[in-house]
């Protein structure tokens, strides 16, 4: 009975950690609206909601698989070559995703274009590999990848929805706002075309980040503040003690303060 109790405690603790990793990626440390990571694909491919979903899910699959592999190899990869090793692992999965998209979703593949292979150097993926997967067991690392990936997908999809509906009156390609026809004297919606152009991405992102900041302020006033990001993504290099993604300058400054 005692062994059963210990096993239940372990399962309960594991479930709590996995749930926390999902909540962390989607809400607490959303890579798009909180950490402001992966801005290049965020601004470039979100001309439509479908592009946002496609890019987000592709990145999620790569995140999960790379976290899984890096966590399995975390005790084998030498510290001196860990970043090149991480990039090789990520590039392998990105290549697989690229081939699958080219074969099964050619339209989406063409729409996303160069940004599919650029997933290799996406700072979200390398950041999670460095700050979490390389230091934690397999299952929590998988859920960390799922949480961050879903957070990224939600961010891209929301931006894509707003840009598409304001710029074309559509959502996922379906016309939801009847368009005006001046020649026929028909009243309707006049698309704001700037939202499907590059500047529109900045406008929509700014509006959504402002909304997120308002929600964070309200949570703090209610006594439920969202904790700051930890590890390499949050600039707290003292938690990893390495010179990985920021050349160690933050970690060095912490050492100087302590001295």
């Amino acid at each position: 009975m005692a062994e059963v109790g210990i096993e239940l405690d372990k399962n309960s603790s594991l479930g709590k950690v996995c749930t926390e990793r999902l909540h962390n990626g989607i809400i607490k440390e959303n890579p798009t609206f909180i950490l402001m990571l992966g801005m290049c694909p965020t601004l470039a491919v979100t001309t439509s909601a479908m592009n946002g979903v496609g890019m987000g899910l592709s990145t999620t699959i790569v995140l999960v698989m790379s976290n899984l592999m890096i966590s399995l190899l975390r005790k084998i990869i030498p510290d001196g070559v860990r970043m090149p090793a991480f990039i090789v692992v990520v590039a392998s999965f990105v290549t697989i995703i690229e081939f699958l998209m080219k074969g099964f979703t050619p339209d989406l593949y063409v729409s996303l274009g160069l940004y599919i292979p650029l997933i290799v150097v996406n700072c979200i993926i390398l950041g999670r590999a460095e700050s979490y997967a390389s230091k934690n067991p397999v299952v929590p690392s998988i859920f960390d990848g799922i949480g961050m990936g879903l957070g990224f997908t939600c961010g891209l999809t929301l931006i894509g929805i707003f840009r598409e509906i304001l710029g074309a009156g559509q959502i996922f390609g379906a016309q939801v706002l009847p368009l005006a026809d001046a020649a026929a004297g028909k009243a309707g919606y006049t698309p704001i075309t700037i939202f499907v152009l590059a500047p529109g991405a900045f406008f929509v992102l700014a509006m959504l980040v402002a909304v997120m900041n308002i929600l964070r302020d309200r949570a703090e006033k209610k006594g439920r503040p969202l904790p700051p990001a930890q590890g390499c993504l949050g600039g707290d290099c003292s938690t990893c003690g390495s010179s990985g993604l920021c050349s160690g300058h933050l970690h060095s400054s912490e050492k100087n303060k302590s001295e």
Side-chain angles (χ1 to χ4, degrees):
M1 290 297 290
E3 292 180 358
V4 173
I6 293 173
E7 187 67 28
L8 288 175
D9 289 341
K10 288 182 179 179
N11 291 337
S12 177
S13 177
L14 181 61
K16 185 177 180 180
V17 170
C18 293
T19 303
E20 190 273 335
R21 297 323 301 166
L22 290 175
H23 182 259
N24 179 77
I26 298 173
I27 304 296
K28 288 199 315 186
E29 295 182 13
N30 185 284
T32 302
F33 300 133
I34 303 297
L35 301 180
M36 303 297 290
L37 297 175
M39 288 294 100
C40 182
T42 297
L43 298 173
V45 307
T46 53
T47 51
S48 68
M50 187 57 69
N51 283 357
V53 172
M55 188 68 193
L57 292 180
S58 301
T59 305
T60 300
I61 294 172
V62 175
L63 254 172
V64 172
M65 298 307 297
S66 61
N67 272 16
L68 166 64
M69 186 60 64
I70 290 167
S71 180
L72 286 172
L73 301 176
R74 69 186 186 279
K75 296 181 180 179
I76 300 174
I77 300 175
D79 286 343
V81 296
R82 72 182 187 285
M83 291 309 294
F86 294 168
I87 292 175
V88 169
V89 171
V90 174
S92 301
F93 290 117
V94 170
T95 302
I96 295 171
I97 293 298
E98 185 177 8
F99 286 155
L100 290 174
M101 291 183 68
K102 189 174 183 179
F104 294 98
T105 57
D107 293 339
L108 183 60
Y109 174 80
V110 172
S111 296
L112 298 180
L114 180 64
Y115 294 97
I116 300 174
L118 283 179
I119 294 175
V120 174
V121 291
N122 192 312
C123 51
I124 301 173
I125 297 175
L126 294 178
R128 298 322 294 174
E130 172 72 10
S131 64
Y132 196 85
S134 63
K135 300 175 178 65
N136 290 277
V138 173
V139 176
S141 297
I142 291 174
F143 277 87
D144 181 77
I146 294 173
M148 279 289 170
L150 290 180
F152 187 59
T153 303
C154 290
L156 265 62
T157 304
L158 279 174
I159 295 172
I161 287 174
F162 277 94
R163 291 182 68 186
E164 191 175 8
I165 195 169
L166 292 173
Q170 300 176 348
I171 297 180
F172 289 101
Q175 196 70 41
V176 295
L177 297 176
L179 299 179
D181 188 348
K186 180 182 177 182
Y189 177 70
T190 301
I192 310 172
T193 54
I194 191 173
F195 283 102
V196 294
L197 302 177
F202 289 93
F203 295 148
V204 174
L205 177 62
M207 289 188 291
L208 292 176
V209 170
V211 171
M212 178 61 74
N213 288 336
I214 291 172
L215 295 177
R216 287 174 66 88
D217 290 340
R218 289 182 178 178
E220 290 179 358
K221 290 178 181 178
K222 292 180 180 179
R224 294 178 297 167
L226 297 180
Q230 298 295 319
C232 290
L233 296 183
D236 184 14
C237 293
S238 58
T239 61
C240 70
S242 68
S243 58
L245 300 180
C246 66
S247 301
H249 67 276
L250 292 174
H251 184 54
S252 299
S253 65
E254 289 296 328
K255 283 184 176 180
N256 293 334
K257 289 179 182 179
S258 63
E259 293 173 356

